[in-house]
Amino acid sequence: MVNSGESTKETIDRLDILLIEDNPADARLTRELLAESGALSFDLVHVSRLEDGIAQLAHRNFAVILLDLTLPDASGLETVIRLRQAHFAAPLIVLSGLADEASAIAALKSGAQEYLVKGQGDGHLISRAIRYAIERRRVEAQLIEAKEAAEAASRAKSEFLANMSHELRTPLNAIIGFAEILQMQTMGALGHPSYAGYVRDIHTSGVHLLNIINDILDLSKIEIGHRELRAVPVDIAVVVAASVRFFTERAANSGVELVVDMSATLPQLLADEQMVKQILLNLLSNAIKFTPQGGRISVSAGIERDGRIFLSVSDTGIGIAPADIARAFEPFVQIDSALNRKYPGTGLGLPLVKSMIELHGGALSVTSREQAGTTMTLHFPAQRTLEAAASETGSQKVPG
């Protein structure tokens, strides 16, 4: 059943409209209102059942769907949901006899572009709603396309970085290995004393570069979903002690006091132990880097009221401006991006921390004040808290 509206002054293509309405009088009125308004050039197809409408959509592209919420084979929001589950691109306008705001909002949330009440308005109102719905759906499709393109580009970048990191690690491991042999002078003396210094620099630079590559590889694996958790019961006290011990000398050389303050009895955590240690090492490295001489760094852990284990690193360093906190967690971003910046780094540490805690289903919170310090707290999900208590530990101070 096809009906044409009058020609319009507006430059708009002829529209195929699907009307799903079981009341013949309402269907006829809708057709007549659209034709009398003269605002659209259209072909209208009318069906009285939802299944018949879905069948029409399967073999014809419609510009818009006008849907009644009370049909012989569906009623209420079910009509909108079933139609959207059929995955058709046409925008959907509900024509209902119910002037109820809650129903209107529910229909819009379920996928309708507009909600019109029968008898409240004329053909111009319906025509405007059709034009606006079509335009909104067009913009929405463009946004989805742009989002998908950006995600595809991000995946391609991550896959490239992962593959390239693997390729770089093989020759770099060889460089580091041979530098170690030369340092030990396994095959005999190097000769000139300066050579020993050169070899030491080669080894140090190689290890540093390998660490950067490993960070890139870890971040890329997480982004493309190739990094998996190896969850085991973790004694937080043991991990904290090992991580702090790793930075004891560096903190002392920087004139920074390093303190551990933990609950005496802390349950074990079901987590990837290597990942938790890597998170803590990154946070401690950042804290030491940005805390001036005479400052203080505190590592704490405990249980929140909802049963979640938290792990926190606080410092009295330079802090982060509120506007820069979000940027600090973007890969390869440096807050101070000048070539002669005071604090070196790749900008991968904090993005890795965020990605790894989220891989555990947890969250990272940040509080910071410029020139006053920063506190970064990991919140692990309550379901990762195990019943068995870890070894007892109290507050301890690591000389700095």
Side-chain angles (χ1 to χ4, degrees):
M1 289 174 285
V2 180
N3 185 43
S4 299
E6 299 174 9
S7 300
T8 79
K9 297 178 182 179
E10 300 179 23
T11 57
I12 186 168
D13 294 335
R14 194 172 186 81
L15 301 178
D16 287 340
I17 301 174
L18 175 63
L19 172 61
I20 308 177
E21 167 65 74
D22 70 326
N23 187 316
D26 285 344
R28 184 170 58 254
L29 178 61
T30 299
R31 182 189 296 116
E32 290 173 355
L33 287 173
L34 284 172
E36 289 174 3
S37 74
L40 294 174
S41 175
F42 66 92
D43 288 333
L44 187 144
V45 174
H46 169 224
V47 297
S48 59
R49 296 174 60 87
L50 183 63
E51 288 301 323
D52 294 338
I54 292 174
Q56 286 285 339
L57 288 163
H59 68 265
R60 182 171 177 178
N61 291 324
F62 287 91
V64 68
I65 304 166
L66 304 179
L67 176 69
D68 180 28
L69 291 184
T70 306
L71 300 171
D73 55 342
S75 64
L77 284 181
E78 178 194 359
T79 57
V80 178
I81 294 170
R82 283 175 58 185
L83 202 57
R84 277 289 157 241
Q85 287 175 341
H87 300 296
F88 296 110
L92 173 63
I93 297 176
V94 170
L95 293 178
S96 174
L98 185 63
D100 178 63
E101 185 176 355
S103 298
I105 292 173
L108 295 174
K109 287 183 176 180
S110 297
Q113 290 282 337
E114 186 60 89
Y115 185 99
L116 300 179
V117 179
K118 297 175 184 179
Q120 294 186 8
D122 55 14
H124 291 286
L125 176 65
I126 300 174
S127 298
R128 267 198 313 274
I130 288 174
R131 289 198 303 271
Y132 294 167
I134 291 172
E135 181 61 19
R136 282 196 296 269
R137 178 49 62 91
R138 184 187 66 80
V139 172
E140 181 183 294
Q142 289 178 340
L143 291 174
I144 292 173
E145 184 179 350
K147 177 176 178 289
E148 290 175 347
E151 289 173 347
S154 179
R155 284 194 301 272
K157 175 213 69 177
S158 297
E159 289 172 359
F160 169 78
L161 288 174
N163 292 333
M164 186 55 62
S165 297
H166 275 298
E167 294 298 322
L168 290 172
R169 285 174 72 180
T170 301
L172 191 55
N173 279 324
I175 292 171
I176 293 171
F178 285 126
E180 288 175 351
I181 291 173
L182 290 173
Q183 277 186 309
M184 293 184 291
Q185 302 188 43
T186 305
M187 309 300 292
L190 294 177
H192 196 284
S194 296
Y195 291 161
Y198 298 156
V199 170
R200 184 175 60 253
D201 291 343
I202 291 172
H203 182 267
T204 301
S205 299
V207 170
H208 176 66
L209 184 54
L210 182 60
N211 288 334
I212 294 174
I213 291 172
N214 286 336
D215 283 349
I216 294 173
L217 184 59
D218 285 337
L219 192 60
S220 300
K221 282 182 176 179
I222 292 173
E223 286 183 348
I224 61 179
H226 289 177
R227 180 72 187 265
E228 296 180 355
L229 290 178
R230 295 179 175 86
V232 297
V234 176
D235 187 333
I236 293 294
V238 172
V239 174
V240 168
S243 301
V244 168
R245 191 161 51 244
F246 186 84
F247 282 105
T248 299
E249 183 178 353
R250 181 172 162 189
N253 292 338
S254 300
V256 174
E257 182 184 22
L258 189 52
V259 174
V260 176
D261 185 9
M262 295 177 56
S263 299
T265 55
L266 192 63
Q268 289 188 313
L269 175 71
L270 184 63
D272 188 312
E273 184 169 1
Q274 184 59 38
M275 210 175 284
V276 174
K277 186 175 181 180
Q278 190 172 352
I279 288 173
L280 194 51
L281 290 175
N282 276 322
L283 292 180
L284 284 169
S285 177
N286 258 28
I288 293 175
K289 182 195 302 184
F290 295 110
T291 301
Q293 185 175 7
R296 187 175 188 269
I297 297 171
S298 174
V299 182
S300 59
I303 305 178
E304 300 179 84
R305 290 184 177 181
D306 57 4
R308 294 184 301 168
I309 289 179
F310 72 86
L311 183 58
S312 179
V313 176
S314 300
D315 64 60
T316 58
I318 62 173
I320 309 172
D324 290 330
I325 289 178
R327 291 183 61 237
F329 292 92
E330 296 176 14
F332 306 105
V333 169
Q334 289 280 358
I335 302 303
D336 176 12
S337 58
L339 290 177
N340 61 343
R341 60 179 181 263
K342 182 178 179 181
Y343 304 101
T346 60
L348 289 173
L350 291 182
L352 261 177
V353 168
K354 183 174 182 291
S355 296
M356 287 179 175
I357 185 61
E358 289 176 352
L359 201 58
H360 282 82
L364 173 67
S365 63
V366 182
T367 57
S368 187
R369 257 188 335 133
E370 290 183 271
Q371 307 307 319
T374 301
T375 298
M376 297 204 176
T377 305
L378 307 165
H379 306 272
F380 291 90
Q383 59 266 32
R384 292 195 175 275
T385 302
L386 301 179
E387 293 297 328
S391 58
E392 291 192 5
T393 180
S395 296
Q396 55 179 308
K397 178 178 176 181
V398 180

Tab-separated table of all heavy atoms in Angstrom, residues 68-88:
chain	number	residue	atom	x	y	z
A	68	ASP	N	3.703	1.968	16.166
A	68	ASP	CA	2.721	1.989	17.244
A	68	ASP	C	3.182	1.003	18.328
A	68	ASP	O	3.776	-0.028	18.018
A	68	ASP	CB	1.350	1.568	16.698
A	68	ASP	CG	0.275	1.575	17.774
A	68	ASP	OD1	0.418	2.363	18.732
A	68	ASP	OD2	-0.681	0.793	17.665
A	69	LEU	N	2.927	1.334	19.586
A	69	LEU	CA	3.392	0.480	20.676
A	69	LEU	C	2.404	-0.616	21.062
A	69	LEU	O	2.722	-1.449	21.914
A	69	LEU	CB	3.713	1.326	21.917
A	69	LEU	CG	4.930	2.243	21.819
A	69	LEU	CD1	5.172	2.938	23.164
A	69	LEU	CD2	6.176	1.480	21.399
A	70	THR	N	1.218	-0.628	20.446
A	70	THR	CA	0.231	-1.661	20.770
A	70	THR	C	-0.142	-2.391	19.488
A	70	THR	O	-0.925	-1.889	18.670
A	70	THR	CB	-1.031	-1.045	21.407
A	70	THR	OG1	-0.645	-0.254	22.537
A	70	THR	CG2	-1.986	-2.132	21.878
A	71	LEU	N	0.432	-3.577	19.312
A	71	LEU	CA	0.230	-4.373	18.104
A	71	LEU	C	-0.282	-5.762	18.478
A	71	LEU	O	-0.128	-6.200	19.630
A	71	LEU	CB	1.550	-4.491	17.329
A	71	LEU	CG	2.183	-3.172	16.865
A	71	LEU	CD1	3.581	-3.418	16.324
A	71	LEU	CD2	1.308	-2.511	15.800
A	72	PRO	N	-0.853	-6.488	17.533
A	72	PRO	CA	-1.367	-7.823	17.848
A	72	PRO	C	-0.291	-8.790	18.333
A	72	PRO	O	-0.573	-9.674	19.146
A	72	PRO	CB	-1.960	-8.292	16.510
A	72	PRO	CG	-2.255	-7.046	15.752
A	72	PRO	CD	-1.190	-6.075	16.150
A	73	ASP	N	0.953	-8.633	17.850
A	73	ASP	CA	2.016	-9.580	18.211
A	73	ASP	C	3.095	-8.970	19.103
A	73	ASP	O	4.130	-9.593	19.362
A	73	ASP	CB	2.659	-10.173	16.954
A	73	ASP	CG	3.173	-9.101	16.001
A	73	ASP	OD1	2.752	-7.931	16.124
A	73	ASP	OD2	3.987	-9.436	15.111
A	74	ALA	N	2.888	-7.756	19.599
A	74	ALA	CA	3.849	-7.122	20.515
A	74	ALA	C	3.204	-5.881	21.111
A	74	ALA	O	2.359	-5.247	20.477
A	74	ALA	CB	5.136	-6.758	19.785
A	75	SER	N	3.659	-5.534	22.318
A	75	SER	CA	3.103	-4.333	22.941
A	75	SER	C	4.138	-3.682	23.844
A	75	SER	O	5.070	-4.333	24.322
A	75	SER	CB	1.847	-4.674	23.749
A	75	SER	OG	2.175	-5.544	24.820
A	76	GLY	N	3.957	-2.376	24.060
A	76	GLY	CA	4.855	-1.638	24.936
A	76	GLY	C	6.281	-1.581	24.402
A	76	GLY	O	6.518	-1.588	23.182
A	77	LEU	N	7.242	-1.530	25.336
A	77	LEU	CA	8.647	-1.422	24.942
A	77	LEU	C	9.136	-2.630	24.160
A	77	LEU	O	10.143	-2.563	23.447
A	77	LEU	CB	9.520	-1.235	26.191
A	77	LEU	CG	9.508	0.149	26.827
A	77	LEU	CD1	10.434	0.169	28.021
A	77	LEU	CD2	9.918	1.211	25.817
A	78	GLU	N	8.418	-3.747	24.302
A	78	GLU	CA	8.809	-4.954	23.565
A	78	GLU	C	8.883	-4.683	22.070
A	78	GLU	O	9.753	-5.207	21.371
A	78	GLU	CB	7.797	-6.074	23.838
A	78	GLU	CG	8.091	-7.368	23.076
A	78	GLU	CD	6.921	-8.328	23.087
A	78	GLU	OE1	5.882	-7.995	23.699
A	78	GLU	OE2	7.050	-9.404	22.478
A	79	THR	N	7.966	-3.835	21.569
A	79	THR	CA	7.962	-3.537	20.132
A	79	THR	C	9.260	-2.843	19.717
A	79	THR	O	9.855	-3.170	18.698
A	79	THR	CB	6.758	-2.646	19.772
A	79	THR	OG1	6.808	-1.448	20.556
A	79	THR	CG2	5.457	-3.369	20.030
A	80	VAL	N	9.678	-1.861	20.524
A	80	VAL	CA	10.913	-1.124	20.214
A	80	VAL	C	12.127	-2.042	20.323
A	80	VAL	O	12.993	-2.059	19.436
A	80	VAL	CB	11.081	0.077	21.173
A	80	VAL	CG1	12.379	0.818	20.882
A	80	VAL	CG2	9.898	1.015	21.063
A	81	ILE	N	12.182	-2.826	21.390
A	81	ILE	CA	13.337	-3.696	21.626
A	81	ILE	C	13.465	-4.748	20.536
A	81	ILE	O	14.552	-4.973	19.990
A	81	ILE	CB	13.222	-4.353	23.016
A	81	ILE	CG1	13.329	-3.292	24.113
A	81	ILE	CG2	14.310	-5.414	23.200
A	81	ILE	CD1	12.995	-3.793	25.501
A	82	ARG	N	12.349	-5.381	20.177
A	82	ARG	CA	12.406	-6.420	19.135
A	82	ARG	C	12.804	-5.837	17.791
A	82	ARG	O	13.539	-6.459	17.018
A	82	ARG	CB	11.057	-7.130	19.035
A	82	ARG	CG	10.818	-8.138	20.153
A	82	ARG	CD	9.434	-8.731	20.079
A	82	ARG	NE	9.189	-9.394	18.780
A	82	ARG	CZ	8.008	-9.909	18.437
A	82	ARG	NH1	6.983	-9.832	19.297
A	82	ARG	NH2	7.855	-10.490	17.270
A	83	LEU	N	12.320	-4.641	17.512
A	83	LEU	CA	12.669	-4.008	16.239
A	83	LEU	C	14.150	-3.654	16.199
A	83	LEU	O	14.830	-3.867	15.190
A	83	LEU	CB	11.819	-2.752	16.052
A	83	LEU	CG	11.642	-2.240	14.620
A	83	LEU	CD1	11.054	-3.316	13.724
A	83	LEU	CD2	10.740	-1.017	14.617
A	84	ARG	N	14.664	-3.151	17.316
A	84	ARG	CA	16.087	-2.798	17.358
A	84	ARG	C	16.971	-4.046	17.332
A	84	ARG	O	18.078	-4.027	16.794
A	84	ARG	CB	16.387	-1.973	18.610
A	84	ARG	CG	16.058	-0.508	18.421
A	84	ARG	CD	17.043	0.152	17.469
A	84	ARG	NE	16.479	1.350	16.863
A	84	ARG	CZ	16.301	1.527	15.580
A	84	ARG	NH1	16.587	0.574	14.728
A	84	ARG	NH2	15.836	2.653	15.093
A	85	GLN	N	16.491	-5.139	17.903
A	85	GLN	CA	17.256	-6.380	17.872
A	85	GLN	C	17.387	-6.937	16.468
A	85	GLN	O	18.258	-7.764	16.199
A	85	GLN	CB	16.612	-7.423	18.790
A	85	GLN	CG	16.810	-7.141	20.272
A	85	GLN	CD	16.064	-8.114	21.158
A	85	GLN	OE1	15.128	-8.786	20.721
A	85	GLN	NE2	16.465	-8.186	22.429
A	86	ALA	N	16.518	-6.488	15.567
A	86	ALA	CA	16.605	-6.921	14.172
A	86	ALA	C	17.736	-6.210	13.430
A	86	ALA	O	18.042	-6.551	12.286
A	86	ALA	CB	15.277	-6.661	13.470
A	87	HIS	N	18.361	-5.215	14.088
A	87	HIS	CA	19.560	-4.525	13.576
A	87	HIS	C	19.327	-3.831	12.237
A	87	HIS	O	20.103	-3.993	11.295
A	87	HIS	CB	20.732	-5.503	13.449
A	87	HIS	CG	21.116	-6.136	14.741
A	87	HIS	ND1	21.610	-5.430	15.806
A	87	HIS	CD2	21.058	-7.430	15.145
A	87	HIS	CE1	21.853	-6.243	16.816
A	87	HIS	NE2	21.515	-7.468	16.446
A	88	PHE	N	18.256	-3.056	12.137
A	88	PHE	CA	18.023	-2.268	10.942
A	88	PHE	C	18.495	-0.839	11.193
A	88	PHE	O	18.381	-0.317	12.296
A	88	PHE	CB	16.546	-2.302	10.552
A	88	PHE	CG	16.072	-3.684	10.181
A	88	PHE	CD1	15.202	-4.375	11.004
A	88	PHE	CD2	16.517	-4.291	9.022
A	88	PHE	CE1	14.776	-5.644	10.673
A	88	PHE	CE2	16.094	-5.568	8.692
A	88	PHE	CZ	15.231	-6.256	9.507
